[in-house]
C-alpha cells in the first residue's frame, strides 16, 4: 500500500487479557519501529527492526511486551496480561535509512 | 536533563501570524533534524528534514538548525487554522540510528 497500515484502529480490552497489534509497513522499507504515545508523554520508543538483524528491544517496558516481524514485512506487537497503564496509542513507523519515518495512524488501546 | 526539550504549549496565535516553534537538545552528535506535524487521532507526518546546520525552506515552512547552540526552529508564515496541530521535533545521530523525539508543541491558530 501507499502508507503504513495499522490494525485495529481501536481496541478495548479487559485487564489481564492479551492483545495483538498489527503493522503493515511501506513495501521496501527495511526499518520498522514501534512507539507508544500517552497523553502528555510524547513518543516512547519500544522496539526497532532493521532488515534481518536482531531487533533493538531496549525500549520495551516489561517482559509482557514482545514483537516480531515476519519475512521482513508485517510486524505484530503483543502485550500479555494487559494492565491499565498500558492504555495508550501504539504507533508503528517504517523508513529507509538516512531519512525520516512514515507513521501509521496508530492503534488506540484502552484497558478497562 | 532530557536529550530533547520542547515546550508543550499550548501556543495560540491569530491567523496570518508568523509562528516560531523551537527545540533544544543536549547531544552534540545529532546531525539529522526533523519536524513532524500530528493532527488529533492521526500519526505524525514528516514536515521538514534537514542535515547539519543551516536553513531549509518549503512553502510557508522554514526549518533552522544552529548546532553551535544546539537549537532548532520551525517557522510557519501566514499561519492558517489548518496548521493547528501538535508539532514534534526529532533528531538522530547517524542515518541508521533511531530518532529521539521532543514531546511536541500544541499549536492553535485562531481564525
Amino acid at each position: 500500500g501507499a502508507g503504513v497500515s495499522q490494525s485495529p484502529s481501536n481496541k478495548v480490552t479487559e485487564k489481564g487479557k492479551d492483545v495483538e497489534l498489527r503493522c503493515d509497513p511501506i513495501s521496501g522499507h527495511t526499518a520498522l519501529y514501534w512507539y507508544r504515545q500517552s497523553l502528555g508523554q510524547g513518543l516512547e520508543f519500544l522496539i526497532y527492526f532493521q532488515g534481518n538483524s536482531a531487533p533493538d528491544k531496549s525500549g520495551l517496558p516489561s517482559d509482557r511486551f514482545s514483537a516480531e516481524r515476519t519475512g521482513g514485512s508485517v510486524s505484530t506487537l503483543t502485550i500479555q496480561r494487559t494492565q491499565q497503564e498500558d492504555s495508550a496509542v501504539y504507533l508503528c513507523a517504517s523508513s529507509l535509512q538516512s531519512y525520516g519515518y512514515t507513521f501509521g495512524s496508530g492503534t488506540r488501546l484502552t484497558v478497562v | 536533563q532530557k536529550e530533547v526539550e520542547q515546550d508543550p504549549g499550548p501556543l495560540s496565535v491569530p491567523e496570518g501570524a508568523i509562528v516560531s516553534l523551537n527545540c533544544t537538545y543536549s547531544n552534540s552528535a545529532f546531525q539529522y533534524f526533523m519536524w513532524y506535524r500530528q493532527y488529533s487521532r492521526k500519526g505524525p507526518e514528516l514536515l521538514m528534514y534537514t542535515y547539519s546546520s543551516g536553513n531549509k525552506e518549503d512553502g510557508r515552512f522554514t526549518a533552522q538548525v544552529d548546532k553551535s547552540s544546539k537549537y532548532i526552529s520551525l517557522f510557519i508564515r501566514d499561519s492558517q487554522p489548518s496548521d493547528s496541530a501538535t508539532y514534534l521535533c526529532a533528531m538522530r545521530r547517524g542515518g541508521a540510528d533511531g530518532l529521539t523525539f521532543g514531546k511536541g508543541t500544541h499549536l492553535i491558530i485562531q481564525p
Side-chain angles (χ1 to χ4, degrees):
Chain A
V4 177
S5 178
Q6 290 189 246
S7 61
S9 54
N10 286 283
K11 176 72 176 179
V12 180
T13 189
E14 292 180 353
K15 179 181 172 181
K17 295 285 178 84
D18 298 351
V19 294
E20 284 190 354
L21 313 180
R22 176 188 168 102
C23 173
D24 200 341
I26 291 173
S27 178
H29 279 194
T30 55
L32 186 148
Y33 309 82
W34 283 98
Y35 282 82
R36 179 167 69 176
Q37 188 174 36
S38 304
L39 193 63
Q41 295 302 311
L43 285 164
E44 177 188 3
F45 166 74
L46 297 177
I47 188 168
Y48 161 47
F49 296 90
Q50 174 60 51
N52 296 320
S53 302
D56 175 357
K57 304 179 182 180
S58 60
L60 294 178
S62 77
D63 58 8
R64 296 187 295 105
F65 287 73
S66 63
E68 63 176 18
R69 187 178 186 190
T70 54
S73 181
V74 172
S75 177
T76 302
L77 177 69
T78 301
I79 309 173
Q80 296 178 310
R81 304 181 302 280
T82 52
Q83 305 295 312
Q84 287 187 328
E85 61 263 29
D86 299 334
S87 296
V89 177
Y90 289 82
L91 289 161
C92 174
S94 69
S95 77
L96 292 170
Q97 284 191 0
S98 300
Y99 204 62
Y101 302 170
T102 301
F103 281 89
S105 292
T107 294
R108 185 173 298 273
L109 176 67
T110 304
V111 181
V112 298
Chain B
Q1 180 188 15
K2 291 190 180 297
E3 270 199 301
V4 179
E5 300 273 7
Q6 187 176 10
D7 187 333
L11 175 63
S12 183
V13 301
E15 182 177 356
I18 296 175
V19 175
S20 173
L21 303 167
N22 312 292
C23 287
T24 59
Y25 62 95
S26 57
N27 189 342
S28 58
F30 287 135
Q31 296 188 81
Y32 299 85
F33 303 91
M34 281 142 270
W35 285 94
Y36 284 81
R37 177 175 63 195
Q38 186 175 22
Y39 292 114
S40 180
R41 294 187 171 265
K42 296 289 186 182
E45 59 175 322
L46 182 63
L47 202 56
M48 298 288 281
Y49 179 92
T50 54
Y51 171 71
S52 194
S53 284
N55 295 358
K56 183 174 183 178
E57 187 174 320
D58 184 0
R60 296 185 296 111
F61 299 89
T62 300
Q64 280 187 357
V65 175
D66 182 349
K67 290 188 71 180
S68 63
S69 301
K70 299 191 184 68
Y71 187 88
I72 68 171
S73 301
L74 177 71
F75 297 96
I76 307 174
R77 291 183 299 281
D78 187 25
S79 55
Q80 305 294 313
S82 58
D83 296 328
S84 298
T86 295
Y87 290 79
L88 300 104
C89 63
M91 47 201 77
R92 69 185 347 161
R93 294 170 299 176
D97 288 342
L99 288 177
T100 300
F101 285 88
K103 287 194 173 183
T105 298
H106 183 205
L107 175 65
I108 300 168
I109 308 297
Q110 302 165 335

